[in-house]
Amino acid sequence: MGRDKGYTTVSIPTTLYNRIKELIKDTGFTSVSQYVTYVLREIVAEHEQSKTVEPFTEEDRRRIIEKLKKLGYL
Amino acid sequence: MVSRPHGGRLVKRVATGRRRERLVLETTEMYSLDLTYEQAIDTEDLGRGVFSPLEGFVVEDDFLSILNYMRLTNDVPWTIPIVLDVDRERARKISMGDEIALWYNNVPLAIMRVEDLYQWDKYKYVESVFGTKSPEHPGVAKVRSMGEFLLGGPVELVGEVETGLERYILWPDETRVLFSELRWRTIVGFQTRNVPHMGHEYVQKSALVFVDGLFINPLIGWKKKGDYRDEVIFEAYKVLIEHYYPRKSAVLAGLKMNMRYAGPREAVHHAIVRKNFGCTHFIVGRDHAGVGDFYSPYEAWEIFEEFPDLGITPLFIREAFYCRKCGGMVNEKICPHEEEFRVRISGTKIREMLSRGERPPSEMMRPEVADRIISFRKPFVE
């Protein structure tokens, strides 16, 4: 139990690091890494959202629409 | 465009046609594992994509990652491990790499490829998921009764868990098409296990002000004595929607899914599930998925701060009551008046009145809804 989570290093400019360090003072973030992880996750999720493709074929879709009509949803 | 499926891909592992026929035949040659009702429901939800991106019961690496970090090993948020337990005797008969048949009610439900077979630390599990080791917690009690080993690996459905309520059920691929046909771009999900009272209607309509559509998604399945029967919940909602909701603003469909009473972690889990159904927003209520006094009333709201990448927006709406001075349904945030003006909605009181065949006050329940419930000879589970 309790395996370490994998981490890797990403470089950011020292000036940015210092800005973030200042920014997170008196917030819930305890380190620059924690803040950067939080912000990146948010941005990555947004970018992934824009690449969505619905996972069914046109035939699946027609079959589903028939069922929805039978059940009175459409 | 409805919400992106969690993890980027909607899972659908349902064998059809000749493949299904062949797999059903092959089950007779495989090791057979009889499932409990709850295990069968989890299996069906996995195969139907309710738990996308999971394709099956979690393997040990994901199991530990969920307990420790509330994320899968690929960093996707996930708060409750979906596990299949077996006792030592059965575990001895199963090896990694096996294909086994999962049976429910003497009918093959799914084929599972066993990718992992591992022992689990139940104390670690209950502390992480439920935040307590107390046997008074129903989730903890349940885990204590489970087998010492877990099986991990993908499932493929060859059957379904019959409930007699199939006409009320829609799966994620179906609601995603439905929302798109209705031209809804923003959808708020509402989970329930109860008949609708005025508080529910207030919360749902507060959310509906800001989105295109409302998805009311009652949980179907095992209920305890005194609970409203599933059919009663559906019929009560149908009447409410017919009389009080704008046309094509709400979709009502049931979901076969287990309750775990894991409070905050389960609130996130419920949001993820509704994201897979296509929802962009999810209503998180007071003491969501809580039980007894194990979680503080709004603890389930705080946990969402840890998931900037959840991909579904939680809506935190406070409990509603009727205020005689305001002259309508309100909540703590918008009503300045004293308690003496407030009519609190009591589920127990409503239940007592309905069981006597009486309509609850109109501040608590719509008369049409009450009448529909009373029209059932036996509205409660016996």
Side-chain angles (χ1 to χ4, degrees), chain A residues 1-5 7 37-39 41-42 45 48-56 60-61 63-65 67-68 71 73-74, chain B residues 1-2 4 10 60-61 63-64 68-69 71 75 121 124 167-170 173-174 176-178 180-181 251-253 305 308-309:
Chain A
M1 288 287 166
R3 293 176 191 178
D4 285 340
K5 194 169 197 180
Y7 282 92
T37 302
Y38 184 90
V39 171
R41 276 184 171 146
E42 190 169 22
E48 285 171 344
Q49 172 74 31
S50 64
K51 290 187 175 175
T52 302
V53 179
E54 284 298 358
F56 26 77
D60 291 336
R61 193 180 174 89
R63 197 173 27 76
I64 290 170
I65 288 172
K67 178 180 171 181
L68 293 170
L71 290 174
Y73 284 101
L74 288 173
Chain B
M1 175 68 77
V2 298
R4 179 178 186 265
L10 191 68
E60 188 175 21
D61 283 350
F63 175 83
L64 294 174
N68 292 329
Y69 310 111
R71 288 178 182 272
D75 203 50
D121 182 340
K124 164 91 175 166
R167 66 190 180 282
Y168 295 121
I169 293 170
L170 292 181
D173 57 338
E174 296 165 341
R176 298 178 79 82
V177 170
L178 174 58
S180 137
E181 286 295 303
V251 162
L252 171 68
E305 288 174 15
D309 51 343

Side-chain angles (χ1 to χ4, degrees), chain B residues 97-151:
Chain B
D98 283 356
E99 286 208 316
I100 62 172
L102 306 181
W103 290 67
Y104 178 66
N105 260 354
N106 303 316
V107 176
L109 175 65
I111 311 296
M112 176 180 182
R113 192 174 69 246
V114 180
E115 288 186 348
D116 208 353
L117 171 58
Y118 55 102
Q119 269 192 296
W120 56 317
D121 182 340
K122 292 187 184 183
Y123 284 109
K124 164 91 175 166
Y125 180 97
V126 297
E127 268 194 327
S128 301
V129 173
F130 302 116
T132 177
K133 287 179 183 170
S134 168
E136 302 296 314
H137 187 293
V140 176
K142 170 82 191 156
V143 167
R144 284 167 64 139
S145 71
M146 290 166 73
E148 310 109 278
F149 291 85
L150 298 179
L151 300 176

Side-chain angles (χ1 to χ4, degrees), chain A residues 8-59:
Chain A
T8 190
T9 308
V10 175
S11 301
I12 59 171
T14 312
T15 49
L16 177 60
Y17 177 90
N18 290 335
R19 272 171 74 189
I20 296 171
K21 200 172 165 188
E22 194 60 31
L23 183 72
I24 63 173
K25 269 184 189 167
D26 303 321
T27 69
F29 294 104
T30 55
S31 69
V32 171
S33 294
Q34 199 184 42
Y35 177 86
V36 170
T37 302
Y38 184 90
V39 171
L40 279 180
R41 276 184 171 146
E42 190 169 22
I43 292 168
V44 168
E46 274 176 29
H47 289 186
E48 285 171 344
Q49 172 74 31
S50 64
K51 290 187 175 175
T52 302
V53 179
E54 284 298 358
F56 26 77
T57 62
E58 269 312 303
E59 194 188 329

Side-chain angles (χ1 to χ4, degrees), chain B residues 63-81:
Chain B
F63 175 83
L64 294 174
S65 182
I66 295 166
L67 294 192
N68 292 329
Y69 310 111
M70 296 193 285
R71 288 178 182 272
L72 300 172
T73 49
N74 63 3
D75 203 50
V76 169
W78 199 272
T79 51
I80 296 185

Side-chain angles (χ1 to χ4, degrees), chain B residues 17-205:
Chain B
R18 284 192 181 164
R19 177 171 173 77
R20 182 187 167 279
E21 286 169 21
R22 183 175 61 76
L23 288 174
V24 169
L25 275 177
E26 287 176 6
T27 57
T28 55
E29 297 158 9
M30 296 176 186
Y31 177 79
S32 293
L33 190 64
D34 286 317
L35 303 181
T36 63
Y37 175 75
E38 286 165 334
Q39 290 171 332
I41 290 294
D42 278 345
T43 304
E44 193 172 21
D45 284 340
L46 285 164
R48 289 286 185 169
V50 173
F51 298 145
S52 298
L54 300 188
E55 296 192 337
F57 293 99
V58 295
V59 295
E60 188 175 21
D61 283 350
D62 277 325
F63 175 83
L64 294 174
S65 182
I66 295 166
L67 294 192
N68 292 329
Y69 310 111
M70 296 193 285
R71 288 178 182 272
L72 300 172
T73 49
N74 63 3
D75 203 50
V76 169
W78 199 272
T79 51
I80 296 185
I82 307 299
V83 298
L84 179 59
D85 64 300
V86 286
D87 58 26
R88 188 175 293 275
E89 193 189 325
R90 287 186 179 80
R92 276 213 317 265
K93 295 173 183 164
I94 299 170
S95 304
M96 275 158 60
D98 283 356
E99 286 208 316
I100 62 172
L102 306 181
W103 290 67
Y104 178 66
N105 260 354
N106 303 316
V107 176
L109 175 65
I111 311 296
M112 176 180 182
R113 192 174 69 246
V114 180
E115 288 186 348
D116 208 353
L117 171 58
Y118 55 102
Q119 269 192 296
W120 56 317
D121 182 340
K122 292 187 184 183
Y123 284 109
K124 164 91 175 166
Y125 180 97
V126 297
E127 268 194 327
S128 301
V129 173
F130 302 116
T132 177
K133 287 179 183 170
S134 168
E136 302 296 314
H137 187 293
V140 176
K142 170 82 191 156
V143 167
R144 284 167 64 139
S145 71
M146 290 166 73
E148 310 109 278
F149 291 85
L150 298 179
L151 300 176
V155 297
E156 184 169 1
L157 295 175
V158 294
E160 64 179 313
V161 180
E162 288 182 12
T163 57
L165 296 161
E166 281 65 33
R167 66 190 180 282
Y168 295 121
I169 293 170
L170 292 181
W171 296 107
D173 57 338
E174 296 165 341
T175 54
R176 298 178 79 82
V177 170
L178 174 58
F179 298 155
S180 137
E181 286 295 303
L182 291 169
R183 304 278 187 269
W184 290 357
R185 294 177 65 85
T186 50
I187 302 110
V188 63
F190 182 81
Q191 153 144 334
T192 185
R193 289 176 292 148
N194 235 321
V195 294
H197 57 51
M198 293 297 289
H200 298 131
E201 183 181 332
Y202 171 82
V203 167
Q204 291 167 8
K205 287 185 171 172

